[in-house]
Amino acid sequence: MIKFLDLKHQYLSIKPEIDQVISDIINESAFIGGKFVKKFEEDFAKYQDAKFCVSVANGTDALEIAIESLNLPKGSEIIVPANSFIATSEAVTRNNLKVIFCDCNPDNYSILISDLKNKITSKTKAIIAVHLYGHPADMTSINQIAKENNLRVIEDSAQAHSAEHNGKRVGAIGDIGTFSFYPGKNLGAYGDGGAITTNNKELAEKCRMIANHGRIEKYNHVLEGRNSRLDALQAGILNVKLKYLDAWVTKRNLIASYYLDNLSNLGDIVLAGVAPFVTLHAYHLFVIRTNQRDQLKNFLQENNIETGIHYPIALPKLKAYAYLNQSQTCINACSFDDRLLSLPIGEHLTEDEIETIVKKVKLYFKR
Ligand SMILES: *Cc1c(COP(=O)(O)O)cnc(C)c1O
């Protein structure tokens, strides 16, 4: 079986270092806070070109806390891409704010700038840009629109560790950015984990307080917060893995170029484009579009190739959002969801496996 994701393979490639750091942390009983967490926050901030990094328990919390830190007025609307994971919109609703879905760009699936402009009302207070599949959103246009309309910009970078927009890593190009270290992400922990990045000291301090019971020191709470912390074991594991991230992303890019070279002009496949401002694509996912998605997926499965779908139901069409009645307002996202297919990509794949995947996709369309 050619695997979509192989975390065991990755672990075996760095086993001595991972085993060592886990045993060090257990030996020190340094489970919450402490030097491993501090080191990861410092190194990850530097890596993502951000001044500050606040680690939290997961990527969903990172979004919720980042939005809370902006202190938006009651009744505010936040614009959210229709093609994303539900965490992006959940974080808005969990803050008692209103989700307004925005359509996706048919070329690279990130937020469609023309539709973004249409969705702004007098109540709009923020935009969530999702760097979907590892392809940075058009931050220059988004920041410009935000400036003209006095909006805050949150970058959901859960799929885009290391991705660059015009030479700058994502996460602190807008006001505040969020990351997930869910095991399957490009930089994944061995459990849940997340982080918030920003160049704004005030926002960073606010997030840190919210994530740690609103305290400034032990038992001195200046506001009511919550418990959302990255534990030290995860931080230690992430410290090890961060060193390998560049190499892993390079491998993802090599696989993507091979796919792009070999799958163009094949059947009705539409390959995703890479916008000119993308100086580094993180290629968390390699997504193709075809009217024969389900048949192709089954054919590949029969040929021992795992694939994925991101996402099978566009957010506005989910039952959870039926009450919003917005599926007619995001035409691309709501019609692409039954045509998207994610091919395997990742450092676990061998050259032979990539060649096999391409051969089988070609075979499917030539039958
Ligand atoms: C994974 C993901 C999240 C949520 O992260 P968790 O760590 O699983 O909570 C949010 N947004 C996007 C786009 C994601 O892919």
Side-chain angles (χ1 to χ4, degrees):
M1 185 59 84
I2 299 182
K3 289 192 170 165
F4 190 73
L5 180 69
D6 191 348
L7 295 175
K8 179 81 183 282
H9 176 278
Q10 190 194 60
Y11 166 60
L12 293 177
S13 75
I14 53 176
K15 185 177 187 305
E17 277 180 283
I18 293 284
D19 291 355
Q20 185 64 50
V21 79
I22 290 174
S23 106
D24 287 351
I25 291 165
I26 295 172
N27 273 316
E28 292 183 29
S29 299
F31 299 117
I32 301 289
K35 66 181 183 189
F36 290 93
V37 176
K38 188 156 183 284
K39 177 165 172 43
F40 177 68
E41 288 183 340
E42 285 169 3
D43 289 359
F44 192 65
K46 207 179 286 166
Y47 186 83
Q48 288 300 145
D49 296 332
K51 282 194 186 135
F52 308 98
C53 167
V54 177
S55 60
V56 295
N58 56 67
T60 308
D61 281 6
L63 279 162
E64 277 188 38
I65 292 165
I67 293 169
E68 187 178 340
S69 77
L70 298 174
N71 220 356
L72 302 175
K74 255 203 168 107
S76 296
E77 293 175 356
I78 300 189
I79 296 176
V80 176
N83 189 23
S84 185
F85 179 59
I86 192 171
T88 318
S89 45
E90 264 176 349
V92 173
T93 315
R94 289 272 155 196
N95 272 286
N96 289 314
L97 302 171
K98 180 158 189 209
V99 172
I100 301 294
F101 287 117
C102 182
D103 209 356
C104 68
N105 183 317
D107 191 46
N108 58 48
Y109 305 101
S110 70
I111 200 163
L112 183 62
I113 300 301
S114 55
D115 193 43
L116 172 59
K117 290 178 184 163
N118 287 335
K119 299 276 161 82
I120 294 173
T121 71
S122 58
K123 289 182 182 161
T124 311
K125 295 291 180 250
I127 303 165
I128 304 185
V130 180
H131 304 304
L132 196 72
Y133 308 152
H135 181 291
D138 179 357
M139 293 306 295
T140 307
S141 303
I142 293 167
N143 278 342
Q144 182 63 35
I145 292 166
K147 200 170 159 196
E148 286 162 5
N149 295 278
N150 204 14
L151 313 176
R152 309 305 291 267
V153 177
I154 301 142
E155 296 175 70
D156 180 345
S157 315
Q159 303 188 1
H161 322 75
S162 88
E164 286 178 18
H165 174 282
N166 284 333
K168 197 169 181 295
R169 293 236 153 107
V170 300
I173 301 173
D175 292 290
I176 194 160
T178 64
F179 290 84
S180 163
F181 305 118
Y182 178 80
K185 303 285 157 115
N186 282 12
L187 179 62
Y190 287 1
D192 278 314
I196 298 163
T197 49
T198 180
N199 288 331
N200 183 323
K201 188 165 185 235
E202 231 173 282
L203 289 182
E205 284 172 358
K206 185 86 187 285
C207 289
R208 194 174 290 287
M209 281 213 274
I210 295 169
N212 196 13
H213 299 295
R215 66 178 149 219
I216 44 174
E217 59 191 328
K218 202 166 190 183
Y219 304 125
N220 185 359
H221 307 266
V222 299
L223 52 84
E224 247 185 350
R226 53 192 286 186
N227 176 357
S228 182
R229 297 178 297 227
L230 180 72
D231 69 67
L233 278 171
Q234 303 306 338
I237 289 161
L238 290 168
N239 279 331
V240 171
K241 290 179 71 170
L242 185 57
K243 293 185 290 181
Y244 297 94
L245 185 55
D246 282 341
W248 291 336
V249 171
T250 300
K251 176 94 188 268
R252 286 175 180 272
N253 273 272
L254 285 173
I255 296 169
S257 352
Y258 185 79
Y259 282 153
L260 290 170
D261 288 345
N262 289 281
L263 297 178
S264 57
N265 301 315
L266 190 61
D268 71 338
I269 287 185
V270 180
L271 295 170
V274 182
F277 51 77
V278 177
T279 45
L280 182 63
H281 195 320
Y283 277 114
H284 175 56
L285 295 168
F286 189 92
V287 176
I288 64 171
R289 197 160 84 229
T290 165
N291 289 320
Q292 304 177 53
R293 193 269 308 279
D294 293 339
Q295 297 94 310
L296 175 59
K297 188 178 200 324
N298 289 339
F299 179 79
L300 293 175
Q301 185 67 37
E302 283 158 18
N303 283 278
N304 296 318
I305 298 167
E306 289 179 352
T307 54
I309 299 176
H310 302 87
Y311 293 90
I313 308 173
L315 294 177
K317 287 163 72 179
L318 289 173
K319 193 165 173 214
Y321 294 116
Y323 76 99
L324 289 176
N325 199 16
Q326 290 183 20
S327 50
Q328 301 308 314
T329 73
C330 299
I331 304 299
N332 293 338
C334 292
S335 66
F336 290 165
D337 55 6
D338 55 3
R339 288 188 264 165
L340 300 176
L341 185 68
S342 307
L343 298 180
I345 191 163
E347 81 291 334
H348 63 289
L349 296 166
T350 64
E351 261 177 59
D352 272 0
E353 288 176 321
I354 310 294
E355 284 170 16
T356 303
I357 295 165
V358 163
K359 264 188 217 146
K360 295 296 178 187
V361 175
K362 284 186 171 165
L363 181 63
Y364 173 82
F365 283 102
K366 279 178 187 151
R367 287 179 318 162

